[in-house]
Amino acid sequence: MPEPLIRVARLVKEFKTYDRRGGIAGAMLDLVHREYKTVRAVDDVGFTIERGEMVGYIGANGAGKSTTIKVLCGILFPTSGEVAVDGRVPWKDREAHVQRIGAVFGQRSQLWWDLAAGESLRLLAKIYAVSEAEYAARMAEFEQVLELREFLKTPVRKLSLGQKMRCELAASLLHAPPVLFLDEPTIGLDVVAKQSIREFLRRINRERGVTTILTTHDLREIEELCARVLIIDRGRIVFDGSLDELRAQAVDTVELRFRMAHALGADWQPEGLPAQGVAWKAEGHELVGSLTRGSLPRAEAIRAVLERFGQGVQDIAISEPQIERIVQRIYEAEKQKRRAAEQPA
Ligand SMILES: Nc1ncnc2c1ncn2[C@@H]1O[C@H](COP(=O)(O)OP(=O)(O)O)[C@@H](O)[C@H]1O
Ligand SMILES: [Mg+2]
């Protein structure tokens, strides 16, 4: 078995912070004796990522996503644990490491604020020792989806958020790294800008096989891009698996919505429709059937409605359980577990 591209084992990162005491007396006391408290941002995290994977890293605010990414990038030194990215220990081999990874942090920039976007990219290419020919070839490739040309002469500070992010992505890939870390790359972007960035990410993952870890708040993005997700909750990985496995965790219902030619009326009763494992209700012009997972094949439920109403059915929509709800439930389950553990025996 070849070594996975990324291997993280028993990773712990703690931050020491201190509480400031109020007032002048407090400030004096702080000088002599600071009251430290330790925040364990990443708590015994382990996972491996194979070459070419695109993995979504999700979790609530403060869960430890950025801290993990920063350790993987070599920006932060861990408290303990092991990390190997493409055969390197990020914080030990920093210089070699940054040459071989790409990173985008939605909250900060790797570009020069006062330089034109194109000059910023050129400068980065120089820093990464990318040849003129390679630079030209990559820019031409990026241009197809990112459409940078229209703003290459504009100073970075004058770019829109979406333009800036397109530029950041190009910058992170100029040196053709095999691995890309993206920490909330689409934060604050509108739908159109998000879409072009997703398309680009899909493309570079598919065509160049760039291994990607993506953190985002937008679970739709994960659904569109990542076959696998890691969920982190308070510094601990609470789920690691495929999107399908995540969905399968939901005992949730699948919803069938039938658009009817006529409104069904408030006192409508689901006569002649299968009752076992299906809850039927009328909502104006819609007939809604909620199926508990595994209860009744959805095809059977659909057939029953078509037999009963025939031409009265104009359209059918099937909605899977929302990924947001599944993830929310995982957090809830973790909270319950913590509470149970805190109860005195
Ligand atoms: N430089 C730091 N100093 C002190 N605490 C920090 C620092 N960076 C992060 N933290 C704390 O670590 C925890 C995890 O933060 P972070 O990794 O940024 O979470 P996420 O990216 O998932 O929102 C939070 O409680 C945060 O306040
Ligand atoms: Mg973060």
Side-chain angles (χ1 to χ4, degrees):
M1 279 267 289
E3 176 75 355
L5 187 69
I6 298 174
R7 195 170 52 76
V8 176
R10 300 178 306 278
L11 180 67
V12 173
K13 175 65 190 181
E14 291 179 340
F15 292 106
K16 265 194 177 156
T17 55
Y18 65 94
D19 290 328
R20 280 175 210 274
R21 279 167 281 205
I24 291 175
M28 300 295 278
L29 267 175
D30 280 346
L31 279 178
V32 197
H33 179 79
R34 283 178 176 175
E35 299 209 325
Y36 284 102
K37 93 181 163 194
T38 306
V39 176
R40 193 170 261 229
V42 172
D43 187 6
D44 197 24
V45 159
F47 55 82
T48 58
I49 292 177
E50 303 295 330
R51 221 166 265 277
E53 274 195 281
M54 186 143 177
V55 177
Y57 196 39
I58 57 188
N61 261 335
K65 304 179 295 294
S66 295
T67 305
T68 313
I69 302 282
K70 284 176 191 163
V71 171
L72 293 177
C73 288
I75 297 169
L76 282 177
F77 199 91
T79 305
S80 62
E82 289 167 25
V83 175
V85 178
D86 203 8
R88 293 173 308 271
V89 177
W91 58 92
K92 284 189 180 152
D93 262 337
R94 251 202 99 173
E95 232 165 282
H97 192 58
V98 294
Q99 285 283 342
R100 302 296 296 147
I101 63 165
V104 171
F105 290 87
Q107 316 269 29
R108 56 163 116 141
S109 180
Q110 58 199 315
L111 307 169
W112 287 267
W113 213 236
D114 289 316
L115 291 187
E119 288 168 34
S120 256
L121 289 170
R122 254 181 204 287
L123 193 50
L124 277 169
K126 282 240 161 60
I127 291 172
Y128 288 128
V130 175
S131 73
E132 271 298 316
E134 282 172 298
Y135 177 77
R138 289 204 188 117
M139 287 298 282
E141 183 192 336
F142 299 157
E143 180 64 31
Q144 293 171 27
V145 180
L146 294 178
E147 298 177 334
L148 307 165
R149 210 168 286 149
E150 58 184 72
F151 55 81
L152 282 179
K153 295 206 164 83
T154 312
V156 171
R157 74 185 128 79
K158 286 196 175 160
L159 299 181
S160 73
L161 210 51
Q163 290 173 329
K164 197 166 122 315
M165 198 42 68
R166 277 140 68 192
C167 205
E168 297 280 353
L169 275 174
S172 71
L173 290 164
L174 274 177
H175 53 304
V179 48
L180 181 61
F181 298 104
L182 303 166
D183 192 6
E184 310 219 26
T186 56
I187 197 162
L189 298 188
D190 61 46
V191 180
V192 177
K194 276 188 177 180
Q195 206 48 50
S196 81
I197 282 175
R198 284 178 200 169
E199 191 189 330
F200 181 71
L201 293 177
R202 206 171 303 141
R203 206 154 148 165
I204 55 129
N205 176 251
R206 199 194 302 130
E207 289 172 12
R208 291 172 160 259
V210 177
T211 307
T212 308
I213 300 188
L214 166 72
T215 86
T216 172
H217 272 102
D218 188 340
L219 292 175
R220 183 112 44 90
E221 204 152 280
I222 303 269
E223 280 187 296
E224 274 190 33
L225 293 174
C226 307
R228 176 177 164 208
V229 287
L230 291 167
I231 303 181
I232 184 169
D233 183 41
R234 301 195 171 201
R236 290 178 159 264
I237 300 290
V238 294
F239 180 87
D240 176 357
S242 69
L243 258 183
D244 288 337
E245 284 166 323
L246 182 61
R247 285 203 193 90
Q249 287 225 338
V251 280
D252 212 331
T253 49
V254 175
E255 222 177 48
L256 307 176
R257 278 183 178 270
F258 301 88
R259 175 84 195 163
M260 311 303 279
H262 305 285
L264 292 169
D267 52 357
W268 177 79
Q269 292 295 321
E271 276 154 33
L273 295 178
Q276 202 189 347
V278 193
W280 299 100
K281 64 180 174 195
E283 286 181 0
H285 273 76
E286 289 194 333
L287 168 60
V288 186
S290 301
L291 274 70
T292 311
R293 200 167 269 271
S295 63
L296 175 82
R298 54 183 88 165
E300 237 171 81
I302 293 171
R303 210 176 298 127
V305 172
L306 292 178
E307 273 168 20
R308 167 85 178 64
F309 293 97
Q311 299 291 320
V313 179
Q314 294 182 327
D315 200 2
I316 306 175
I318 305 176
S319 65
E320 296 285 341
Q322 293 268 306
I323 202 95
E324 276 90 351
R325 273 182 19 225
I326 304 173
V327 170
Q328 199 56 44
R329 215 165 289 139
I330 289 176
Y331 295 151
E332 289 299 324
E334 288 303 311
K335 211 186 269 175
Q336 297 288 345
K337 270 191 230 163
R338 272 199 303 276
R339 281 213 197 103
E342 280 161 14
Q343 294 282 322

